[in-house]
Amino acid sequence: MFATAHNASNLKWHVVGRINDGLLRHPVDSPQWKTIDHLYPEFGVEPRNLRLGLASNGMNPFGSLSTSYSSWHVLLMIYNLPPWLCVKHKYMMLCIMITGPRQPGNDIDVYLTPLIEDLRNLWEEGVDVYDENVGQTFRLRAMIFCTVNDFPAYGNLRRHSVKGHHACPICEKNTSFIQLKHGKKTVYTRHRRFLKHYHLYQRLKKAFNGTHESEGASEPLAGHEVYDRVKDIVTVFGKTHRKDHADKNIWKKRSVFFDLPYWANLHVRHCLDVMHVEKSVCDSLIGILLNIKDKTKDGLKCHQNLVELGIRYQLHLQAQGRRMYLPPACYTMSTKEKKHFCHYLKNVKLPQGYSSNIKSLVSVNDLKLVGLKSHDCHVLMQLLLPVAVRGILPEKVRVAITCLCFFFNAICSKVIDLKQLDDLENQAAIILCELEMYFPPLFFDIMIHLIVHLVCEIRLCVSMFLCWMYLVECYMKVLKAYTKNQY
Ligand SMILES: [Zn+2]
């Protein structure tokens, strides 16, 4: 990169080319960037020192020939570049390819060790590089700025359990969960903790779980606190040992990233991926609104859980003669409303290339949406869903869904006003509380809960559009095309 004058000058864009107007456009505007400059001035003073984003994801290079094959790759993105170049394939570095057939899971640390050693050398000693732009040699150093992964891989890299009672990596031990008896699912509720003090909803009992909410939300753990928890855990690699060492500790082992001297000083070490959160929220919403079989979180078990928890008496099972009757909830759409919803999506006209053919995903006869991919969910949440629910559903439910869509639209924008972030964070908590009022407890899986933490990551670290998995998934499409002979 430094051998080309054009690329070498682009790597200094964050110092020479950027508009500094207080808006969040690039990681350089974030506190994490400034903290590094402050803690390591000898690193920060050289604008050409690289700050890298690390992303890893699994892919199947053989398409439908071998469905279970999963090879993993590790990519590095360069955050020194302007935002429109950070996301180009040309500037992404494929540094590790882990062959299958099974995904490495927690053993990914073994494969990452050589990379971490290189990065450690690049941080401590650096390498001499000739810069074509200025025509001299300088000492180049580099660091990992953050990592980007989907949620299961997030657990593998961070070494934190992302299942069970303490699944939220940010709330950690203070994750509020309910173990439902019917359906045996763990759900994550009590979002009133995240509201501002003395909010009206904190005093409402009946609409929520029957109690006042006075507890505040806990602060996320700092890097050195995480390190204190994991430093003494004995690490045993390999899949055969897994069962012997399955204990209740939510921290599985010491992450290999703690070998990097600066790692514990970063505000956000691992970023949540908004793409998977958005897809999961969209799937849950569409499933429950259209009451799609196998996807809906409504049904008999949901009502039994309401009886068990002693909330929302009007929705409890009612006996009508020899039959039991499930009363409709506020989010239940009538067949006419479902038809209205599906017809809107069937007839929607979008500019060419704006999204995939949404029309082909709608089955008007069965009143459901089939085969939604992550980008379809993105278009639905950003644009179509608020319009599709216009005039159907009770007003309060409709407003909550519309606000949720506007929230996703706001956090995915490329320029964010830092002054708006407090409002957005507040809004996320209010939306989740409203969803809690209207939707059943079974609706609140971990991905719904993660909405409340997204704004905090934008404020501290990086805009969502520079660290979402669309970049990585698109790169995988390029890699898959290299597999010409599938044998
Ligand atoms: Zn949480």
Side-chain angles (χ1 to χ4, degrees), residues 168-172 175 193-194 446 449-450 452-453:
C168 176
I170 291 126
C171 299
E172 211 231 355
T175 308
R193 289 177 300 152
F194 297 95
I446 188 66
H449 169 76
L450 291 180
V452 89
H453 298 302

Side-chain angles (χ1 to χ4, degrees), residues 13-26 28-30 34 83 414-420 463:
W13 174 87
H14 62 97
V15 173
V16 290
R18 162 177 90 96
I19 312 164
N20 191 358
D21 55 1
L23 299 177
L24 190 62
R25 299 164 195 269
H26 188 268
V28 68
D29 303 313
S30 69
K34 287 164 193 156
K414 293 189 175 171
V415 183
I416 297 179
D417 189 350
L418 284 167
K419 289 174 204 145
Q420 281 179 355
S463 300

Side-chain angles (χ1 to χ4, degrees), residues 207-208 306 310-316 436-441:
F208 291 93
L306 292 179
I311 52 173
R312 293 184 219 168
Y313 298 101
Q314 68 279 15
L315 295 181
H316 289 189
E436 237 177 86
M437 278 197 261
Y438 310 133
F439 287 95

Side-chain angles (χ1 to χ4, degrees), residues 25 31 90 101 105 120 128 132 137-138 143 164-165 177 247 250 252 293 301 330 345 351 359 392 411 435 440 458:
R25 299 164 195 269
K90 186 176 149 185
R120 206 186 150 102
D128 287 332
E132 175 68 27
T137 305
F138 76 105
M143 68 173 295
H165 293 171
F177 65 91
D247 52 22
I250 48 176
K252 293 302 170 200
K293 204 184 164 197
K301 281 177 184 161
C330 56
L345 291 179
K359 212 189 281 180
I392 52 178
I411 59 168
L435 293 179
I458 299 177

